[in-house]
Amino acid sequence: MISIFDPHLHLFDYENGDYNWLKSEHGPNWPNIEKLRRSFNETDLKLSPPFKLVGYNHVEAGFDNLAPEKELEFLRTQNQLPFSAIAFIAIDCSPGEFLSQINTLNSKQSFVGIRDITEGKDALRLSAPNVIENLTLLNEHKLIFEAQFELENIDACTTLKRYARKLPNLQFVVNHAGLPNKCLSKNWQTGLNLLGEEPNIAVKMSGFEMIGQADNKSFLRQILEHLIASFSSKRVLLASNFPVCLIQLSYHDIWQNYLNLDLPESQFKQLCHDNAVRIYMKKEL
């Protein structure tokens, strides 16, 4: 059996959470988005042989951004498998508020770090004066910062790279391979190379259903080759982005498509288990 530790998935308490990005009529223009408009729990993570799910990292999904601890409490009451959790805190909020939210979230055993999505024009928030102080607080608490923006934005990449150099012990993780487009632009590759130079930055390979490419073997192979070339096999993590993946593929098929890339067995184990466990879990699985 192949052990999977999924470093990027979301469980929903759809009836009780906000999920404004999903419930709003102005949400993402994805095909089959109606498949996501329900609750999801651990029993929906269906894998068949040769795969076995041994744990996962839950990434905030907008349950309640004003009280992110509520999402972690929902997870605690639902889950049986070992898991970690990335919560939401605005990276540019005041350091006092930032520390207060960290202290609240630290009461939850699963809490390992934060994500703040800074796509598009929101990338400017990465350069806000409070960011370095807030990242320093994350570092002091041995927490993770998950960055999500387009790596085509070289200014944002340069900013994140500067933070990574200033805080070499802080773990940074780039979500969804830096949101490449179908053409794998030169700027995306440049941004990937810039961030790959910093040993405390890792990258997750996921989210390609959002551009209709989750079942494109040639595209996946190109992405993975670029990621490994920039970050090495030790800092690339294969991930599902469940349940968003369901707009194109089943949970099992996401992992089967990764396996079909025919990586050496030891390398596949690194990418689908070892690297994620090292980054997200406090003990071996």
Side-chain angles (χ1 to χ4, degrees):
M1 296 291 282
I2 299 173
S3 294
I4 301 294
F5 186 98
D6 190 341
H8 196 109
L9 59 75
H10 317 277
L11 303 181
F12 294 170
D13 184 4
Y14 191 77
E15 291 72 25
N16 297 310
D18 292 339
Y19 306 109
N20 293 327
W21 64 274
L22 184 57
K23 294 180 178 181
S24 168
E25 62 182 23
H26 304 296
N29 185 26
W30 296 332
N32 304 315
I33 195 170
E34 65 279 358
K35 292 184 177 182
L36 309 183
R37 293 190 172 118
R38 68 173 181 87
S39 292
F40 291 93
N41 60 38
E42 212 175 76
T43 63
D44 294 300
L45 301 171
K46 293 178 170 58
L47 286 178
S48 304
F51 305 112
K52 179 183 179 181
L53 186 66
V54 298
Y56 53 88
N57 177 60
H58 178 278
V59 178
E60 62 86 19
F63 180 97
D64 185 342
N65 284 353
L66 297 179
E69 68 276 6
K70 291 181 180 179
E71 188 169 38
L72 274 60
E73 182 59 24
F74 154 66
L75 296 174
R76 185 191 68 79
T77 63
Q78 296 291 315
N79 298 6
Q80 301 297 318
L81 287 170
F83 75 99
S84 55
I86 296 292
F88 169 80
I89 306 178
I91 194 59
D92 58 340
C93 70
S94 72
E97 179 183 353
F98 195 86
L99 180 58
S100 176
Q101 293 201 54
I102 284 178
N103 288 336
T104 298
L105 290 163
N106 265 334
S107 68
K108 309 300 180 183
Q109 187 177 6
S110 61
F111 176 57
V112 296
I114 73 157
R115 176 174 78 160
D116 184 5
I117 296 175
T118 55
E119 298 175 19
K121 293 180 180 179
D122 268 352
L124 291 173
R125 295 195 295 105
L126 283 174
S127 300
N130 292 333
V131 171
I132 188 60
E133 189 169 348
N134 292 338
L135 290 174
T136 300
L137 288 169
L138 286 179
N139 186 45
E140 291 172 354
H141 286 80
K142 296 181 170 56
L143 296 168
I144 297 164
F145 179 61
E146 302 240 338
Q148 184 166 318
F149 62 88
E150 300 87 348
L151 295 193
E152 289 187 346
N153 186 336
I154 301 303
D155 288 342
C157 290
T158 302
T159 298
L160 195 71
K161 180 183 179 74
R162 184 174 72 250
Y163 295 148
R165 285 198 169 181
K166 191 162 186 176
L167 297 166
N169 295 319
L170 176 60
Q171 179 68 64
F172 295 81
V173 182
V174 174
N175 286 193
H176 301 324
L179 301 171
N181 57 31
K182 296 178 184 179
C183 300
L184 301 185
S185 71
K186 186 174 181 180
N187 274 359
W188 173 78
Q189 295 175 51
T190 299
L192 201 68
N193 292 337
L194 279 172
L195 297 183
E197 292 171 352
E198 306 309 316
N200 55 330
I201 304 180
V203 62
K204 289 190 274 196
M205 178 164 168
S206 57
F208 307 114
E209 67 283 343
M210 295 184 289
I211 55 172
Q213 298 296 305
D215 61 350
N216 185 333
K217 184 175 182 178
S218 174
F219 180 83
L220 295 178
R221 188 183 298 279
Q222 287 184 70
I223 290 280
L224 187 55
E225 287 174 354
H226 282 296
L227 296 185
I228 291 175
S230 295
F231 286 81
S232 85
S233 294
K234 293 182 179 180
R235 292 185 287 131
V236 176
L237 293 71
L238 299 178
S240 70
N241 199 30
F242 179 90
V244 179
C245 63
L246 300 180
I247 66 174
Q248 189 172 13
L249 292 173
S250 73
Y251 188 61
H252 176 89
D253 285 347
I254 286 287
W255 293 102
Q256 185 63 55
N257 283 356
Y258 288 147
L259 184 62
N260 291 346
L261 296 178
D262 299 321
L263 296 172
E265 183 177 348
S266 60
Q267 189 179 46
F268 191 75
K269 181 174 180 290
Q270 267 190 311
L271 272 58
C272 74
H273 177 273
D274 296 356
N275 295 342
V277 170
R278 184 185 73 247
I279 289 173
Y280 291 107
M281 297 302 290
K282 296 171 183 176
K283 60 182 180 180
E284 291 293 323
L285 291 179

